[in-house]
Each structure stands twice: as structure tokens, then as C-alpha cells.
Amino acid sequence: MPEAHLPELPVVLIEEAIRAALIEDHGLAGDVTSQATIAPDAKATAVLDCRETGVISGLPLARAAFAALDPSLKFEMLFADGDTVEPGADVAKISGNARAILGAERVALNYLCHLSGIATHTARFAKHIAHTKARICCTRKTTPGLRAFEKYAVKCGGGANHRFGLDDAILIKDNHIAVAGGIHEAIEAARFFAGHLIKIEVEVDTLDQLREGLKAGPDVVMLDNMSLHQLREGVAIVDGRISIEASGNVDLDTVKAIAETGVDMISTSKITMSTKTLDLGLDIAID
Amino acid sequence: MPEAHLPELPVVLIEEAIRAALIEDHGLAGDVTSQATIAPDAKATAVLDCRETGVISGLPLARAAFAALDPSLKFEMLFADGDTVEPGADVAKISGNARAILGAERVALNYLCHLSGIATHTARFAKHIAHTKARICCTRKTTPGLRAFEKYAVKCGGGANHRFGLDDAILIKDNHIAVAGGIHEAIEAARFFAGHLIKIEVEVDTLDQLREGLKAGPDVVMLDNMSLHQLREGVAIVDGRISIEASGNVDLDTVKAIAETGVDMISTSKITMSTKTLDLGLDIAID
Amino acid sequence: MPEAHLPELPVVLIEEAIRAALIEDHGLAGDVTSQATIAPDAKATAVLDCRETGVISGLPLARAAFAALDPSLKFEMLFADGDTVEPGADVAKISGNARAILGAERVALNYLCHLSGIATHTARFAKHIAHTKARICCTRKTTPGLRAFEKYAVKCGGGANHRFGLDDAILIKDNHIAVAGGIHEAIEAARFFAGHLIKIEVEVDTLDQLREGLKAGPDVVMLDNMSLHQLREGVAIVDGRISIEASGNVDLDTVKAIAETGVDMISTSKITMSTKTLDLGLDIAID
Amino acid sequence: MPEAHLPELPVVLIEEAIRAALIEDHGLAGDVTSQATIAPDAKATAVLDCRETGVISGLPLARAAFAALDPSLKFEMLFADGDTVEPGADVAKISGNARAILGAERVALNYLCHLSGIATHTARFAKHIAHTKARICCTRKTTPGLRAFEKYAVKCGGGANHRFGLDDAILIKDNHIAVAGGIHEAIEAARFFAGHLIKIEVEVDTLDQLREGLKAGPDVVMLDNMSLHQLREGVAIVDGRISIEASGNVDLDTVKAIAETGVDMISTSKITMSTKTLDLGLDIAID
Amino acid sequence: MPEAHLPELPVVLIEEAIRAALIEDHGLAGDVTSQATIAPDAKATAVLDCRETGVISGLPLARAAFAALDPSLKFEMLFADGDTVEPGADVAKISGNARAILGAERVALNYLCHLSGIATHTARFAKHIAHTKARICCTRKTTPGLRAFEKYAVKCGGGANHRFGLDDAILIKDNHIAVAGGIHEAIEAARFFAGHLIKIEVEVDTLDQLREGLKAGPDVVMLDNMSLHQLREGVAIVDGRISIEASGNVDLDTVKAIAETGVDMISTSKITMSTKTLDLGLDIAID
Amino acid sequence: MPEAHLPELPVVLIEEAIRAALIEDHGLAGDVTSQATIAPDAKATAVLDCRETGVISGLPLARAAFAALDPSLKFEMLFADGDTVEPGADVAKISGNARAILGAERVALNYLCHLSGIATHTARFAKHIAHTKARICCTRKTTPGLRAFEKYAVKCGGGANHRFGLDDAILIKDNHIAVAGGIHEAIEAARFFAGHLIKIEVEVDTLDQLREGLKAGPDVVMLDNMSLHQLREGVAIVDGRISIEASGNVDLDTVKAIAETGVDMISTSKITMSTKTLDLGLDIAID
């Protein structure tokens, strides 16, 4: 396995997301409490600290939140996205204008805690299957507006990404097969439509469907809601010709056994939705 | 207690959110699988069904997702936001153009499952404290970009809302007190700054702070991380003059006892972040 | 009275407003006159001077307008928002690229003259009532798109802000009372709906309504279009328990007498709409 | 004089402006007062009535505000933009969902009162000079973000428009002349730069400048801050060859005499900034 | 070959594109010529006709342009995108408000002529190679802001799409290979990074590189700037295991021979940039 | 002829255009190939070189593309917009972060090649008519969304601009004349509607129409699709009183003869649509 680079979020997406989040949190009047009680030129020092073990994700968003309010704030990263941190670890230090630090705090933390929660949960799955060739991957079940960031967090946690939208890969399900007149017809139509740079995955529920589907030459096959026994048989049938994705009933208790069947990918929405946020906080001292 | 109306999401926010989510999911090419396999004029019928017990929230967003792709789609609501539904319940029926239904499916479900998860979890807290005057309420710990919707979901679940941003209420914490030179000075400054239509809440950690804070006349006091004993004493000290919000260590195991101390509000981020999504799905039959 | 801080406009709102105003003024071709006649690298020095006595408001917007066209322009503030300036006073000095200074001139001045006009007019009202405890405050009658800035200008002029939108405070008027089935019912419904961090104001036209309304415990009462005699009686009836806002027939001739009745707030749209702009100009010398 | 059509606002601008104004007024929670007290399906009837004599402007914006909240609202225009109405006149009737009517009220009125104020004030100037060939026209001194609407209101009031931005006409002032090396050089440079579809106006302060400027063949000349005597001489010098715009010291007391000097246009910022809003209100009866 | 469906543009992209184009063309004042000369309620009938042989693309954009100005306009499509039309053919009929038709004309035609030009030119390439299995495809060399539409037009003309952006497929070029330390290392790194749903293409300049690259198992190989002889050898080397894309020196004179070498895809920027617009016009008769 | 300045693109338009183009090219995941193969801190040096003779246009957009991804990139311009460059010329040098350079490459080149193609083609027309007083000018037939940039490129190539939109000049065609009741009536209506700062052009097809039109005093007359003989007669009829624009059948073969008839402007869509892009590339060496 090559040493993998971490993904990098598009700069423009970060800027837009922070701008929108600040508008949401500051409304038309901004941080009225700080305006009432803290002098405009007061300075502060803050430490972003982690209060439980987890994998960090979202530091570029946090940094951008502080920079958006005051480009002269000093933001020192002590860890990087993808790092595992222990309780009590200082993740970053921020110093400069007090109002700016207080005004960006919640936006920075809301992103950071949410994404680190996803990275941390993904890492738990990844650890369970590290002894196999299988990888854990996400789905399109993401929080609306945050897909780019949540898919990024999955990679920070050691997971892989499924398609990003309806447009960048073909995923043929039962409805498409029914309308197209069969699994072969559906894949043929997809291949012609999609061209040579889009992968075609077909979802099958039975081993018979799998055998039929393989003949039409998809790039990936999804074995949906199959038993471990079926998965193993599926792996034997495919015999390394294409990638196999297992889906359905994936959780921390089942993932190891699924991975050991020999599949390549295990997809689940559990790593992007329903994850607990990682507990990070900002300790601010006003000078 | 008056029979309360449910909240209503601003129309313009719904439209913007759906537009952004569709751009995110459709990219530059749209649903390539359906384009490849389903005829442009194929029709379908779909049922939005709930697969576990929960409180629904987000139907106006779901309806808007389908309408955005094809205004002629028929969307029939069988339940309303705030309703509790049982497994197997049909929540809505959609019929019309097949590609439009498939193209809006994930955006509609991502909103609906996420918000219904929040409403459902809030309802659990609310049920535990229904025999008291206390209410459960959210914080500013929300998913960036979704604050309006998550606060709405909290109300659908029977909870109450804390401030929506830094701008619509004053919340004086230790840093503000330290800089202002005391709790009295901070509240005075806030009162003058804020005018007559913004509430002032002060966060206290000890009963001594509470006694001192009360003299300056805040509208709400937050008792942060206090023991049940301290909370009861705090309630006695305040003696009904202002609202009391309890915060810290709130979960389904502790909330009943906290409510029974006599506080008015119990705030927690647990109902907006880290909630499990409610399991809803779309069963589509192409005609 | 504590020494009050001036409000601070959210940075993101300033940037968006300046961007939109520059697009409006520059169109698709920019300042064609300067492009035709002034060399791209010509330098200039400009003085922003005030031509009548008034209170300044909007300097951060002016500064942002120049910075948007050329971040290297030097902008030196000689006064700050909230300062009273005399005719002939130099408010700020700008130097650097000549085309950038000319291109930002009108956007900077249009904001500055408009907001300073509001601050100046507000200050006139504030001066008339400075010997009382009453404060002058604005309403939601503001220029569409400029509410954040106009409310800010009111504070620069020594006034106070009413609610910023339909969402951050409850204001119960006759229609709501009629539909709710009475003043008591309306306030009860509002209190339950709003939660503990939103103030409830009720508008009353008669002293009988006031007496009835007080029983339901609103946070603020608006005495609408009452005579001075009625206002004085209203103040006596309320007896310091809640804030009183007087509304209707407020102008520079009447405001002193209204304030002397003992009310807390006097609200009027006259300070945000229909105000004369303050006469400021930019004297530019091209090097 | 041909019977003139009224201007028509670009549809897209109306939609964007209403969307932004509704976001501003509704925030993240919408009209909480109505949500608390009025049933979601309550109906209402409303009359938009004028409370003083004036010229109406902005009805398409008002209509769009109501339609944005509920496309099924019935909006009946009883007058049109440009019409003069008397106190007590019903300008429009609206009926349908009560919350939608209340929720759009302030946005509709803020536009309508502001623009009708401009139209009304413009009409006063226009009336004073109706016996001459001169017309009153606006400048680029407009409220940021509202230029299209304010210029439209000026036309509704019988005035004419000056250039809309820095890009659609050349206006050569002293700085440009100084840098270009003379009035002749500046106009030559402008003519070559601008092409054949942009007018070139030159501002002159003295009759000598006027004589010199005329030789270079501008399309319009602005006589800035000249006495009536000078204006009359200027008219004689120009002798009908190009348009003459008078500027400076224009108010309701001076405009008639200025117009009688024979100039073609009289420009003033007084009709767009510093105008009093026209008093219109919405009388709502909930069914 | 299955009968292929045409692609379908995402609805939201169409709406955004038309809105932006109308703002661009209408500015702050709209169609002043029509406002001056045509009554607001005048009706017209228009025929969108083609003046040379070509393939139509962009009708949904044209329809949206008219609908944006007046939803009640009748727009009757007589041909569909992808159809080949002859000179004199009526492509669509529009009837209704005259100003709306005139106001949308240029926006509708600018899209339609540009995209039909691309479709037409693509069809020429496609025709030259129709006897082979090769297909013509576009690149990322597209007009900024129009990529979705230009890629759509390529499909309307019978071509295929290359990747839509930097994010939806891996394309390994010399720089990546050099930095990664070899073709094998680069593909390995890409495969791990990309996951199972993104295709990996590697660009090779020599047959030796091709042989080396094949070992690492890419999904597609691009033979860049190779001679026909080299292409034929490359096809033999690959021997049907993966897709082959030929690139470089592709024009109408060379494409047939390139296709006959047995490659699968032939990519060229010539079908998206530098294409002649198709000559379509709008004949309008005002009733 | 005065030495003309080049036009300058509005800064805000450049920023918006680059932001949109980067979102288009980077999608939700950015440059996945570089992320997989190139270290985050790798450095590179790049040369933007021209591969054929042409006129450069778009360098400020290219520079902004690189700066948007990394403000610390060094961008050194070796030529300026409007310069003619020979094959092999280095137009600019860029150095700094390797991923940023690769990530901005296509956006920068797509603008630069497209606009330089327009400038180059315009320059060819301009050269053919340089011995006459006539100038070549563009129309409103531009790529949607790029009008500001394409009109700018025309000026870089030595051409002139026609109106920028429907709003900044009056162009009276046959439909307007028919509806208005005659050429005289149409011009009268336009003049009153437009005010004194908008030019009025009238399109005529015959010399009789020209004679009639001249009486109403337009600012410009367009002789549409006339023979050289007719054009010469038209020039004689107008006799220098107003500008003459020739339109129709303009190409590189005909433009010289048209210019020699004595007209002032020759307008054609050929310089903005259907132009070949100029061949520029980026040679990148990773350090």
C-alpha cells in the first residue's frame, strides 16, 4: 500500500462555507454580547483543545473562520487533519483581537466537532478491517450542503469515498434494471451513455443476479444485504475481475466479518449520518 | 398551557436550501444513471415510508425538492411535521415524472431523515420531563448552514429554541464578566447596549455568583454544570423572579431529575448534534 | 449609565454590501471616463470632508469600498463612527492609485452620507430627551437591504434598536389579539411559542387594554398614539414593572414632552426613513 | 411631446430584491408572532391605502413580495405606478393566507413608501418646470443597492434619468481635464475610448470653459453651479447645438428660474436622497 | 449499440444560467428601446428558424429564457435537441407579450447558436468515424461557466464526454509521473486515493511508456500525439484489455484515419472551443 | 488620433468570474490527481507561453485564477493585454506551490485562450481598415456570462464596443418602427424616454429610410446589409452630421471595401462568436 496523501478541500468551497456560516451565526447585528462588554481593541489568546480521543478533521475550516473575521489573527496548527489526538491535547492556538476570536468560535467548533466526529467514527470501522484488503466507504447519505466536507472527513478517518453525486458514477439499481429490460440492457445503455471515464456499478440482491450482471461487464458490483455466506460465494464468483462493494447491515459489530469475506469495499451511511460529534472546545483568555 | 402552533420555515430559506442541495447532488451532468436507462417521459409512483417510530420533521423541504425538479409532480402529505409515526407508516405519496422523482429522492430524504432524527430525539427528552414545567431546548451547537432547520426540528419534537445566533440575545459568560469588571457591570453594559427588546442571560457557576447576578436584573440565568442540590437551591434563590436555564451533563438519564429541581429550561446540544437519523425511505415503482 | 461601546458591523455583511454596490456602479465596463483619461498607474490623494455639522456613521463601509478596488490604497481615519464633526472637518484621507480612488468614491459616499444622515437625525432626537431616562429607537421601517446598516447608524447617533426582523422579538398587535381571542390568550400563546430568550411586546391603544395586557405579563408594552396625559397615566399604571415604549406622532417638536411622561423608549420611523443625507464630499487631487 | 410609456423594471431584479428583503426581515425563524397566534390556514383581506397625496411607484415590487410568500395570494392593483393618488385612496387589494399577507407587509411597504416618496418629490419638481422644455433628472447619488428602483421611481414621477453607473456614459470633470492636459484632449480621448454609442458630457464651471469645451464636440455640457445670468448666457452660447444640463443649488424654490433660462436638463440628488417617504399603509382584516 | 437517450441538463443549472444571462443583458433598466416604443400589453408571434444545416442544442435554455421574462408565453418546440435541421426549418414558435419576446431574444439565441454550433461540429466528427467503434469526445477546454452546457452539446452532436472537472476522474500526466517516481507509483497512489468509483487514465507519449503503464492497471490509457503507426501498435499492445483514448492533431482531415487504428475514444478541444456558431434567428411579428 | 488607454475590467467581475470557474472545475473534491501524486508542499515553476502569433487578452483573469488558489504564488507578467506576441514568447511566469499552479492552470488558460482569440481576430479586422477612419466593433452576440470580458477583448484587439446590453443605448429596428407608427415617431418616443445621456441609433435598410430617419435626428444610423454603392450614397446623404454604422456581410474579405465607403463603424458578431482560440499553454516544471 502506497503512503497516501490526505485529500485537500477546494479553497473556494471553504471560503463560501465559512461566509455562509458566519452570516448564519452573526445575523444583522453580530456578537452583541462582546460588543457590549469587550473593548474593540482587546486581545485574547485561545487554545483549541480536544477532550476525548479522536481523529481531527476540519482544521482548514476552523482556520478560515478566524481569518474571515480578522486576517491578522495568528492561528498556529499543532496537529493536522487526519491525526489522532488524545484527551487534553492542544490542537491549535489562536491569538489576536478578542472579539474576532469570540465571534468565530462557534462556527469553527461546529465544523471541527462535526467533521472530527465523522473522521473518528470512520477510523473505528477502518481499524476493525485493517487486517483485510477491504476499505470502509461512505454513501450519498450526507448532510445537505456539507457533502464535500463530510466526504473529506471520511478520508481523514482512513475511509474511502463513494460517488460524490448523481453525476460522477453510474449506479444501476432494480428500478433501472426493470425499466431497461434487464441487467444486461441497463449496463449496455449506461456504458454507451457514460463514456469511458465514468465507472458503472450495478447493485444485485442475489447470486443469480450477480452471475447475470457480470456478463455485461460492469466496473463494480454492489452485493446488497447479503449474508456472509452469500458474500463469500459472491467473492468466489467474481474472482478478482472487478471490484466488489458490500452494503447493508454494516456496523461496528458486523464489519470485521464482512471484510473477511474478501470484498473490496464496505459502504455505510453510518459514518456520515448519526455520528457523535468529537468533543473539542476553545479555552479563551482575554489579555 | 395553550395549544401551541408548530413553527413555519421561511419560504425563501426552503427554496435556497433545496437549490443548493440539488446543485450539490446533481453536479454538472445530473442523474446520469436515470438518463441512461429511463425514458424522459416515464412515470412513477413513490411512497415515502417510515421504518421506525419517530417524529416527522422536514416535509416542506422534501416537497420543495420534488417541486424544484418538476412542479407538476403530485406530492400528497399523509402526515404533518410534528406527527409521531409508527414503522410502516406512509408519510407521503409522490407521483409523476420518473426521472424527477429519482433525481430528488436523496435530497428529500437527507433533509427528512436528519431533521426527523432531531425531532425524534428531542421528543424523547420532552417526554421524560412532561410532568414538570421544564422544557428541553437547543443551543448554537448546530450543523453549519442548517441552523434554521435544526431549530425548527427541535420545535417539531416539542422542544424550545435558545437564541438563533450571536445577535438575538445577550449571553454573558465568564470572559465577559472578567473583562467588564464584574457581573453587575457586564449586565449594565449589556442592558444599555441591547435596548429593550433583547433578553439578557447570564451564566453562573456558583450560587454566590447567582446571588450577585440577580441583583443586576438579568432576564434569564443559566446555572451551568450544577449538582441537583445546587439547582434546587438556585431555584429557591431565584424564587420565580426570572427564568432559570440548567445546562451541563444533560442526557436521557439525567434530564428527569434536573427538570424536577424546578428549573424552567434545560439546554443541551445533544438534540441537535450527534442525533441518529430517523429511518425513512422512498419506495418507487416505475409505471 | 455605563459608558457604552459602539456597535460593530459584521465583517461579512460589509464585504457583501460593498461588492453589490460596486457591481451596481461599475456595470460591465467600469469607470470609462477615468479609463479614457487617466493613466492606469496615476496616483492621487483625497480628503473625505464634512460640509455640515453631523454625526459620522459608515466609515468601515467607506474604507471597504476603497480596499475592494485596491487593497494597497492607504485609508487613514481621522474620526470614528459616532463622532460629531463640524463643517470643514477632514474625516479621512485616502491615497494611492487614482483610478481606484475615483472608482470607489460614489459607493463610499453614498453609504457614508446616507448613514451619517440617520445618525445625525437620531442624535437630534437623543439630545432633546437626554435629560430623561427615555431613549429614541428605530422600527422595521428601513430601506430594504440596508437594515443592518441603518440600525447601526441609529446606535451611532445615540439611539437604540427595536427588533431587527419578524423573528427576533414578538410584537402583538390588534390582529393577533383578535385572532387569539384576547390579549391574555395572545401573550400566553406567544410565551409558549417563543421560549425564554425572546421578548414579548404588546401594543395597546387604550389604558383599559394596558391594564388587561399587564396581567398576562408581557416584557414590554407599546402605548400607541396616546396623548401625553394617557402616557403619564400609563406610566403610573405600569409602575416600573416592565418597559414602556411610546409610539406615534413622534417628531422633534413632540419628543421632549413624550420623554418627560416617564416612558422608557420612544420609537419612530423618522430616524431611518425620510432623513436628509449628511453632506460629505471627496476632494481628490491627482498627483 | 409624444405620450411616453412608463419604464418597466427588469423582472430578474425584482425577484432578487424581494428575495433579499424577505431574508432580511424573516431571518432564520420567520414571523414568530403570527406563527404563535394565527392558524396556518387563516385567511385575511387587506387594503393598501394611501394616506397623503402622492405619486405611486413600486407596485410591481409590492406584488412580488406577496407572491413570494404565497403565489396563490390574490393581488388586485387599483392604481398603477405613475398615478397620482389622493389621501384615502385604495391602491391595491390583497386576499388569501393571513400569515403570508402579514409576513410580506413590511417588505412591500418599505419599497412602496420609499419609491413613492421619490416619485412624489420628483413630480413636485416636474410640475414647477412643466411650462418649460427643461426636465428634472437624478444623479448617481442613490441608496446603494436600490439604484435601478430609485431611477425607475424618478421616471414614475415624471423625471428623467442621468447615467446609471460609471460605465454607461462619460462624464468629464476637472480632474480628468487636468490629467488629460486640457478639455479638448480629455474629450478626444473619451471619444476614441468610448466608441459611437456612449454619450460624452463635460462639466464646466465658467463660460470660458464652456466655449473651449464646445469646440471639442461633447454631446452634453453640464453648467455647474452657475448663476441664472450665467446659465442664460450659456444657453445663448450653446445655441441649441447640444444638450445643456444645469447642476447645483437646485431646490423647489430655485428650479423654476433655472428651467426658464432655457437649459434642457436640471440634475439634482434631492429627488433620490433625502426624500420623505410617502405615507401608505396596509389595513388587514383577518377573516 | 443500444439506442441512446439524450442527456438532460440539471434544471437548477438552467435557471441559474438564464438568470445570470438576463441580468447581463438587461442591466438596471431593461430593454429601453421596447419600453419607449412598444405598449406594455402588445402581443407578438415569433418563429425561431434555422438558416443553415446543423444539429440543434440548447432548446431548454431558450425556452427558459422566454419563461423567465413571462411564464405565460407560449413556447412550442418543433424540433428537439439532437435533431438535425435544414435551412429554413422552424425550430420553435413563441407567442405572447411582445416586450417579453424581444427582451429574451438575444439571451435565447446566444445560447442556442453557441451550443448548436458545438453540436453541429461534433456531429461532423462523429459522421467521419461512424463506421468505426471509436467515438469523438471533448476535453476540459471549455468556455468558463458553460462547461455543463458545452458537454451537453457535445452529446447532442453524438459525441462523448471526457471528465467534467479535476474531481471526477484521475488523469496522470508527465508531471505526476515524475513526482510520484514512476508510472507504476503514480497509478498505485491514484488507485488508493481515488477509491473504487473513479477511473484512472494515464497519458503516455511512447509505446514503451504504454507497456510500462499497462502493468499498473489503469482504466484508460491516453496515447498522446502518436503517429497512426504508433496508434495501431498501441491498439495491438493493449489488446482490448482497457479503453484507449487518442489525443493530439485531431481535426476533420485526420479523424477518420485515427479512428481506423482501432482506438476507442478520440479527444479534441476543437469541438468545444473555436467552433462556429450555428446561424439561427428569431423572426418576430408584432400583432 | 489620441493615444488610447486600454480598458480595465472591474475588479469585482474578475473575482466573481474566477470563483465560479474554479467551482466549475474543482467540483466537491478538487484536483484528485495532484492530491494523489504530488506532496502538499511541493513547489513548481511554470511558463505561460504563446504558440502562435496573436494579441493577448485576459492576463488579469489568469493572474486572479492563480491568486485565488494561493495568494502567495508569484505571477510575473512579461507582456500586457493588448500586446502582440510571437510564437515561443513567454507571456508570464508563475512560481510557488505546485498543486495550486496545476489547479488553476485550466481556468487561467480557458479564459486567456478564448479572449486572446477574440483580440487576435479583432486585430485582423482592425489592420485591414487601419488606413480608413472606420473602426470594427462588436455586437450583443456574445457568449452568455462573458460579455464584459469579450467586449474587453475586442478593445484589446483594437476594436470598439457597441452597446453592452439592452439598457445602455437605444437601437430602433423595423418592429419598433412599425409599432410606433413610423421612424419619426419611434425616434421621438425614444428620445423622450431615454433622456439626454443615452444614444439613439436607428437601423435602416434603404436610402429612403435613411433620408426619412435623418429628419428625426438620431445619434447614429445603422445601414444594414447595404451594397458598397448604397453605403457610399448613404455616407454622402449623412454628410458627417451623425455616426454611420455598417452592418451585414462583414468578413475579412469584405471589410476593407466597406471601410473605404467612408462609414464610421463596422459591426460584426464574427469577432466575438465563432473565433478560434489563441494557442497558449503552460509549461510546468515541478521542483
Side-chain angles (χ1 to χ4, degrees), chain D residues 5 13 37 72 79 82 84 98 113 122 170 188 200 233 264 269:
Chain D
H5 292 144
L13 292 191
T37 57
S72 75
F79 283 92
T84 300
C113 297
T122 303
I170 297 266
E188 279 292 286
I200 297 172
E233 269 202 69
D264 300 284
S269 67

Side-chain angles (χ1 to χ4, degrees), chain E residues 76-212:
Chain E
E76 190 185 353
M77 279 198 196
L78 305 176
F79 284 91
D81 277 7
D83 286 348
T84 299
V85 297
E86 299 299 323
D90 289 350
V91 175
K93 284 187 184 172
I94 306 106
S95 57
N97 184 275
R99 285 186 181 182
I101 293 175
L102 286 162
E105 175 187 14
R106 182 60 24 225
V107 166
L109 285 175
N110 281 355
Y111 271 118
L112 199 57
C113 297
H114 180 71
L115 298 180
S116 299
I118 289 174
T120 300
H121 204 52
T122 303
R124 278 186 209 114
F125 279 90
K127 195 176 168 192
H128 278 61
I129 62 175
H131 61 298
T132 72
K133 70 168 179 185
R135 295 174 73 192
I136 191 78
C137 85
C138 53
T139 67
R140 277 170 53 245
K141 293 184 182 173
T142 56
T143 317
L146 278 80
R147 187 167 290 165
F149 304 125
E150 295 183 347
K151 296 242 168 197
Y152 166 86
V154 165
K155 291 198 107 176
C156 289
N161 290 158
H162 208 276
R163 61 178 179 167
F164 272 69
L166 288 165
D167 59 322
D168 61 337
I170 296 267
L171 179 45
I172 296 173
K173 302 189 184 183
D174 50 0
N175 270 317
H176 307 109
I177 294 171
V179 174
I183 211 166
H184 185 81
E185 289 75 6
I187 290 177
E188 278 293 286
R191 181 176 299 120
F192 185 81
F193 187 86
H196 64 313
L197 278 177
I198 286 193
K199 288 215 176 173
I200 296 172
E201 176 168 16
V202 63
E203 177 184 314
V204 297
D205 300 318
T206 67
L207 296 175
D208 280 350
Q209 267 192 317
L210 171 61
R211 286 187 196 92
E212 189 199 342

Side-chain angles (χ1 to χ4, degrees), chain B residues 26-37:
Chain B
H26 286 224
L28 299 183
D31 181 356
V32 287
T33 311
S34 294
Q35 290 172 40
T37 58

